[in-house]
Amino acid sequence: MQLVEFLAPHFAFVSDPTAWIALLTLVVLEVVLGIDNLIFISILTNKLPEAQRARARRLGISAALIMRLILLATISIIVQLTAPVFTAFGHGFSWRDLILIAGGLFLVWKATKEIHHTVDPQDHQDSMVGGALQMSLAGAIFQILLLDLVFSIDSIITAVGMTDEIAIMYIAVIVAVSAMMLAATPLANFIARNPTIVMLALGFLLMIGMTLIADGMGYHVPKGYIYAAMGFSALVEGLNMLARQRRKQRSGSGH
């Protein structure tokens, strides 16, 4: 009974139609923001031995969910991360800016290393998760969490700008991460089956990394432009895959 009385104020929004609209909007936004993270997880876990891939994705995303819920519990601290701590080049840098810049640099380095490995697969020693020295399960999960921390802080600050209801934020995060859990394996398998998609996905990561750096430096790039570019590139690659499949069918029927 006491638990019900404690939770009741947090779920008062259920009778408010505008709160349901905010919840739906926030769920969609969190799912869209999770695409970036999902691409990175798919590429990273595909470098593990096949028997460990699904487990790495489950553990990484589950740990990411726990981390996001903990961050929501400290939301008063997260909001303060937007306050400038020093000024340089005419821009007041906050802790959020520094985290975005660090995350962007990390993504650019990772994507560049993997592109190098894809173009020159013989150079194993210099690869991101090289063929000779294969990444460990713990190493993959650590890197998933490291990057998810960056995306989590950004998405939570976005959520705060949309609603004041903590319960709505919790529900949106749980739904979005659950969707990531369901989509992770099919996306990773699709990328593994189509080598050209790997390069396209790495190009996306490179663009996302540069966008994070620009955002941290005070130059905000609207997310709509980024996802429109990604969608157009994916459409073109889809048409290329369809054309290749039809050429194979014609050559097969010719024999």
Side-chain angles (χ1 to χ4, degrees):
M1 192 67 180
Q2 290 181 346
L3 180 62
V4 173
E5 291 176 357
F6 173 76
L7 292 175
H10 297 289
F11 288 90
F13 71 89
V14 295
S15 59
D16 184 4
T18 59
W20 284 100
I21 295 172
L23 174 60
L24 181 61
T25 305
L26 193 53
V27 166
V28 172
L29 180 63
E30 291 290 332
V31 169
V32 171
L33 289 174
I35 292 172
D36 307 344
N37 208 4
L38 203 53
I39 293 172
F40 178 78
I41 290 170
S42 298
I43 291 177
L44 195 64
T45 53
N46 278 348
K47 297 298 175 182
L48 290 168
E50 190 168 353
Q52 295 183 351
R53 292 175 188 175
R55 186 184 175 204
R57 286 188 284 269
R58 285 195 303 269
L59 289 174
I61 296 175
S62 299
L65 172 61
I66 293 170
M67 184 171 66
R68 289 192 184 198
L69 295 178
I70 292 172
L71 287 174
L72 276 173
T74 59
I75 199 164
S76 59
I77 298 173
I78 300 296
V79 172
Q80 292 175 9
L81 293 178
T82 57
V85 289
F86 69 92
T87 303
F89 310 109
H91 173 63
F93 287 89
S94 65
W95 282 112
R96 172 185 174 272
D97 294 332
L98 297 178
I99 290 169
L100 289 180
I101 292 170
L105 290 171
F106 175 72
L107 258 188
V108 169
W109 177 76
K110 282 293 196 182
T112 303
K113 279 288 189 181
E114 183 60 14
I115 288 172
H116 171 75
H117 175 57
T118 304
V119 173
D120 186 12
Q122 299 302 318
D123 190 6
H124 296 310
Q125 295 301 325
D126 195 37
S127 67
M128 172 174 104
V129 285
L133 300 174
Q134 199 159 27
M135 174 174 288
S136 68
L137 179 64
I141 293 171
F142 173 75
Q143 292 185 48
I144 289 170
L145 287 176
L146 190 65
L147 195 66
D148 190 74
L149 176 65
V150 177
F151 287 124
S152 294
I153 289 174
D154 198 31
S155 67
I156 288 171
I157 289 173
T158 303
V160 170
M162 292 187 62
T163 180
D164 295 326
E165 295 284 351
I166 290 290
I168 290 178
M169 296 181 199
Y170 271 105
I171 293 169
V173 165
I174 291 170
V175 171
V177 176
S178 299
M180 285 175 61
M181 185 76 78
L182 292 173
T185 297
L187 178 63
N189 291 340
F190 178 73
I191 289 175
R193 287 195 307 267
N194 299 276
T196 55
I197 294 291
V198 174
M199 191 61 74
L200 184 64
L202 289 170
F204 289 163
L205 291 181
L206 207 54
M207 178 174 66
I208 293 163
M210 291 303 299
T211 303
L212 289 176
I213 294 171
D215 200 350
M217 296 292 290
Y219 301 96
H220 179 66
V221 181
K223 295 284 187 183
Y225 294 158
I226 300 167
Y227 293 120
M230 290 171 67
F232 180 75
S233 300
L235 176 63
V236 171
E237 182 56 30
L239 293 173
N240 285 334
M241 290 170 64
L242 183 61
R244 285 195 298 270
Q245 187 177 5
R246 288 187 174 177
R247 281 198 298 269
K248 284 181 183 178
Q249 289 174 349
R250 287 197 205 100
S251 62
S253 60
H255 291 297

